[in-house]
Amino acid sequence: MKKSETPVRISAAGSAALSQRSGKTLGQRFLDNWQLYALLLIPVVLTVVYKYIPMYGIQIAFRDFDPNLGYLGSRWVGFDWFTRFFKAPTFWRMMKNTVAISVFGLLWSFPVPIILSPVINQVRFHKFKRVVQTVLYAPHFISVMVICGMIKIFLSPTGGLLNLILGTQIDFLTHSEFFRTIYIASGIWQDAGWGCIIYLATLANVDPGLYEAAKMDGASVFQRILHIDIPELMPMVVLNLIMAAGGIMNVGFEKVWLLQTDLNKATSDVIAVYVYQQGIEQAKYSYSTAVGLFNTAINIVLLIIVNKIVSRVSEVEFV
């Protein structure tokens, strides 16, 4: 027996519209939708001006740049600046500190918004829920300089809250073994609430009927989170993980710079601070550009690797 085939019927008006659309030239389609192209032009121009045109200056990483001679007039030195960086006495210490702060920060801070968002989503008292969200979001809007000032006051050996609780007089910022914990813990407090927003927006699209059906079946709050919320969040979690892995070498310069002391450099000396010191303080433009370019190249490689690994174990792929 032959399989019955259902013919696809297109009305005469629809057929005429399709043939008319396919027969239009690019210029005609542009004129028909010029408003959309005009809106698209704004971000395209901004991206080109602020992202692509400055890439022309990357060449100074391969030159002995002299501002008086300009880009093309400066002597070409190839990979000399990269070799100098690899041979720097503090190279391995900076690499170790940068990777350690980023990896430990990712391991500790990345799961926090994922845990908080389903818990907040399950709160049914709307006023209490808004208060909790406001309290969690507020630290994100405090500037890094103010945050660092608060940390120094909180950890002060004379009158600091932590020392008053412990009954000690320890200057925690002068002990290198405490720096990573201080950096990561303050980062979690500042950004955990803000990171919940995208996950809460994802959970807002979940059909309320699923929760009602789960309640009728006797599912507890934990079971509803485990079997409804978590699967719904997984695609967004994977995308955020890939993006976070792509910036694993980008340790926040401002906070490290403001909390760094001569006594904690063993764990606070990172590449971002080194680039600032070499490029701004010592005016070594070519050298600092080479170091920054190396840092960016590592991020791109990590982004590609993590994306490939994640795409093999899940259906989500970022690039």
Side-chain angles (χ1 to χ4, degrees):
M1 294 177 64
K2 294 183 180 180
K3 294 183 180 180
S4 59
E5 298 180 357
T6 304
V8 179
R9 297 180 180 179
I10 302 177
S11 63
S15 178
L18 288 174
S19 61
Q20 184 179 4
R21 183 180 301 175
S22 61
K24 288 185 177 181
T25 63
L26 178 61
Q28 290 173 331
R29 292 198 298 270
F30 177 81
L31 291 175
D32 290 342
N33 303 281
W34 67 269
Q35 298 95 336
L36 298 177
Y37 287 104
L39 289 174
L40 181 63
L41 185 63
I42 298 173
V44 169
V45 170
L46 290 175
T47 302
V48 171
V49 171
Y50 291 105
K51 299 296 183 180
Y52 285 95
I53 293 179
M55 287 184 183
Y56 179 74
I58 291 176
Q59 62 179 296
I60 69 174
F62 306 95
R63 296 180 182 272
D64 186 7
F65 179 67
D66 185 344
N68 295 321
L69 299 176
Y71 292 133
L72 301 180
S74 300
R75 183 171 60 90
W76 183 269
V77 296
F79 292 93
D80 289 356
W81 297 118
F82 295 92
T83 304
R84 177 180 172 180
F85 175 56
F86 298 150
K87 292 181 179 180
T90 58
F91 171 74
W92 288 112
R93 186 176 75 177
M94 288 186 294
M95 287 291 296
K96 176 186 174 182
N97 291 337
T98 302
V99 173
I101 291 175
S102 296
V103 171
F104 288 139
L106 185 63
L107 290 176
W108 286 103
S109 62
F110 186 78
V112 175
I114 303 171
I115 297 171
L116 282 176
S117 53
V119 175
I120 295 173
N121 187 61
Q122 292 296 328
V123 176
R124 292 295 173 254
F125 299 100
H126 295 292
K127 289 185 178 180
F128 177 72
K129 184 176 181 179
R130 287 196 294 268
V131 171
V132 170
Q133 288 177 300
T134 302
V135 171
L136 291 175
Y137 297 164
H140 177 79
F141 298 98
I142 304 175
S143 69
V144 176
M145 183 171 292
V146 175
I147 289 290
C148 292
M150 294 169 63
I151 292 172
K152 290 180 179 180
I153 294 172
F154 182 76
L155 300 177
S156 173
T158 56
L161 180 60
L162 186 58
N163 278 299
L164 290 176
I165 294 173
L166 298 176
T168 58
Q169 289 185 338
I170 302 173
D171 190 355
F172 292 94
L173 289 176
T174 61
H175 291 73
S176 59
E177 62 270 21
F178 296 137
F179 181 82
R180 291 172 187 164
T181 302
I182 295 170
Y183 182 92
I184 294 170
S186 60
I188 294 174
W189 172 71
Q190 186 177 12
D191 295 323
W194 186 256
C196 291
I197 291 178
I198 190 169
Y199 297 122
L200 287 172
T202 302
L203 293 176
N205 295 322
V206 178
D207 184 4
L210 292 176
Y211 296 116
E212 297 299 329
K215 287 181 182 179
M216 293 178 64
D217 290 339
S220 64
V221 173
F222 177 76
Q223 289 174 326
R224 294 198 296 270
I225 291 175
L226 185 64
H227 297 290
I228 299 176
D229 291 343
I230 298 301
E232 190 72 23
L233 290 175
M234 283 311 297
M236 189 58 63
V237 170
V238 171
L239 284 177
N240 284 337
L241 177 62
I242 295 172
M243 295 173 67
I248 205 167
M249 297 292 288
N250 292 336
V251 176
F253 159 75
E254 296 89 350
K255 188 187 291 187
V256 175
W257 176 251
L258 292 169
L259 295 179
Q260 188 179 72
T261 65
D262 291 334
L263 298 176
N264 65 20
K265 280 192 173 182
T267 54
S268 66
D269 197 10
V270 296
I271 293 177
V273 173
Y274 187 70
V275 170
Y276 173 81
Q277 292 171 336
Q278 297 297 317
I280 303 300
E281 293 184 350
Q282 301 185 27
K284 297 179 180 178
Y285 304 118
S286 294
Y287 182 54
S288 61
T289 303
V291 176
L293 183 59
F294 166 77
N295 197 52
T296 303
I298 296 297
N299 279 331
I300 294 174
V301 172
L302 289 174
L303 174 64
I304 295 173
I305 292 174
V306 173
N307 180 68
K308 292 298 181 184
I309 294 174
V310 171
S311 64
R312 288 180 181 273
V313 298
S314 69
E315 297 179 355
V316 181
E317 190 170 6
F318 184 59
V319 290

